[in-house]
Every structure is written in structure tokens, then in C-alpha cells.
Amino acid sequence: QVQFVESGGGLVQPGGSLRLSCAASGFTLRYLNIGWFRQAPGKGREGVSCFSSSDGSTYYADSVKGRFTISRDNAKNTVYLQMSSLKPEDTAVYYCAARRYGGCVLTSTAGYDYWGQGTQVTVSS
């Protein structure tokens, strides 16, 4: 059974940091493109970052570039999203998702077949 478990969310002050984890079971992460998406209240799901299975390339939305870093630990079958210099507009539920074909895409959720349950990130003073 394919399953993602996200963790690491919470409440943080502006300027603070959090590290989100996405642990997979039922498949091997390194063979899939793994994306992080987020959804704020009343808004659509937005692509944040992606780790490519083909060559390890990483991709970021302009809104998080320079502040967020995606990484993968093959031994733990886990992908991480290190978030720094957090802003109130980063507040959202964050999801990890797997895309088998076509590489990393951040502009659409199409092709992402497996999703985690989400973890809440709240940036507030």
C-alpha cells in the first residue's frame, strides 16, 4: 500500500524556520518525482518545490526561492522541506505528492498520483 506521512508543521513566528518531513511506505521515493504543495484557506493548491527523480534537480516557486530547500534521504525514504525566513503568507496546509511520469511540475497537480494527508504550517506573531 502506497502511503505518505507528513510531519513537522506547527506555529512559528515570522522569520522563523520549520522542517517538514514526508516519509513514504509502499514504494521507493528515489524513483519518483516528489513535490511539495500548499493550500491556504480559500485558495487553490499551489506548487512549492519539487525533487526530480531523474537527476536530482530541484525546483522552487518564485515565492519561496532562496528561503526553502528540498532534499531527499534515500536511506530513510523521506523527502524534506526546510523552510526559513517564514512569512505570514506561507501559512497553509502543506502536502507532499508523487509524480511518476513527466518530471517535476509546479504549475499543476495533474499527474501527482499519491498524496499525503497534509501538515498545517502557521506563521504568526
Side-chain angles (χ1 to χ4, degrees), residues 10-18 38 67-68 83-92 94 120-125:
L11 173 64
V12 63
Q13 292 186 342
S17 299
L18 283 175
R38 66 186 181 186
R67 300 188 298 121
F68 290 11
M83 306 186 296
S84 303
S85 302
L86 283 162
K87 305 175 181 180
E89 51 263 44
D90 294 318
T91 295
Y94 283 71
Q120 175 70 46
V121 172
T122 302
V123 184
S124 175
S125 55

Side-chain angles (χ1 to χ4, degrees), residues 29-34 50-59 70 72 74 100 102-104:
L29 272 181
R30 67 176 182 267
Y31 298 126
L32 300 172
N33 304 291
I34 304 299
C50 186
F51 196 108
S52 171
S53 62
S54 61
D55 59 2
S57 295
T58 56
Y59 301 88
I70 191 171
R72 186 181 69 195
N74 291 336
R100 286 175 291 179
C104 279

